[in-house]
Amino acid sequence: MHAAVTDETETTGQLRILPANDAPFADVAAVFGTKGDPAHCWCQWFKIPGSDWRSIGDDGLRDRLEAQLATSDTGPGLLAYDGDTPVGWCAVEPRPNLVRLARSRIVTGGTAHPDFADPDIWAVTCFVVPRAYRKRGVGRALAEAAVTCARGHGARVIEGYAVDASRREKHVAAELFHGTVSMFEAAGFAEVARPSADRVIMERRLRG
């Protein structure tokens, strides 16, 4: 199953995946919901210095994502649909946009690309799939689509920061928002480092 994400909507199996900036923001908001971590983060964690995080609030974080979708043509995410129903989100964009990655011990302890200002390195940092649509391959399809999105924008490498669920005795879905090793492997990523027993730096080289 291969996904293509360009300026047009593409189909992946029973799913359609398109750049989220081509979708109504109401559909993005429907995926993030009103409860749980997604509704309190709006994929802004890696974009905001810690000193500023607590002062912004949920509404401010939501507004930031809406503004980013309205003004950027390189991410910050993809939206999956089952028919007309939005069923998943994947955050993917150039790594320099994600200021906290350079301060993450998981990332800095394993990346093969320590220049965090390099715009040719992209990152997949988050998946959001509402409970009703899990275990249907939505995350895997989004990971594949993220590769095609990054390649279409000229990225040289795309990274993911996966969770190895097999190394955790117990886990809940909320802890897997980074994506799992199996999801990334299905999208052609390979392990390049393991900064901790259950966290894996995954990489796919797109050119060069």
Side-chain angles (χ1 to χ4, degrees):
M1 181 171 62
H2 296 282
V5 176
T6 62
D7 291 335
E8 300 178 356
T9 302
E10 300 288 343
T11 303
T12 306
Q14 299 299 313
L15 300 174
R16 292 184 300 120
I17 299 177
L18 66 154
N21 47 14
D22 290 341
F25 187 71
D27 289 354
V28 177
V31 170
F32 278 74
T34 58
K35 298 179 180 179
D37 291 340
H40 300 299
C41 179
W42 294 94
C43 270
Q44 301 302 301
W45 175 259
F46 289 112
K47 300 181 180 183
I48 300 172
S51 58
D52 298 332
W53 176 259
R54 293 184 180 180
S55 66
I56 296 175
D58 292 352
D59 289 344
L61 297 171
R62 180 185 187 278
D63 291 346
R64 285 174 66 100
L65 178 58
E66 185 171 15
Q68 288 156 11
L69 288 168
T71 58
S72 174
D73 63 356
T74 54
L78 305 172
L79 206 63
Y81 286 85
D82 183 352
D84 294 327
T85 303
V87 297
W89 157 275
C90 170
V92 56
E93 61 187 309
R95 205 173 60 169
N97 296 350
L98 307 166
V99 295
R100 278 205 195 188
L101 285 184
R103 300 179 178 88
S104 165
R105 279 190 245 176
I106 292 293
V107 179
T108 59
T111 182
H113 310 282
D115 180 3
F116 286 89
D118 185 345
D120 290 339
I121 311 298
W122 280 47
V124 180
T125 54
C126 181
F127 295 85
V128 180
V129 179
R131 185 183 302 274
Y133 305 106
R134 292 172 189 165
K135 298 184 178 181
R136 299 188 185 184
V138 175
R140 182 172 296 188
L142 283 163
E144 292 182 352
V147 170
T148 307
C149 176
R151 180 188 287 117
H153 285 96
R156 179 166 54 88
V157 170
I158 184 169
E159 281 187 337
Y161 313 109
V163 176
D164 187 345
S166 70
R167 295 295 187 95
R168 294 186 176 186
E169 292 185 7
K170 297 180 180 179
H171 65 267
V172 296
E175 297 174 341
L176 305 180
F177 70 91
H178 295 289
T180 64
V181 169
S182 61
M183 284 167 48
F184 282 106
E185 286 179 339
F189 288 70
E191 178 176 336
V192 294
R194 189 173 285 262
S196 67
D198 62 350
R199 293 299 304 279
V200 184
I201 306 295
M202 310 288 290
E203 176 185 301
R204 180 162 173 177
R205 187 170 292 276
L206 303 178
R207 61 178 177 85

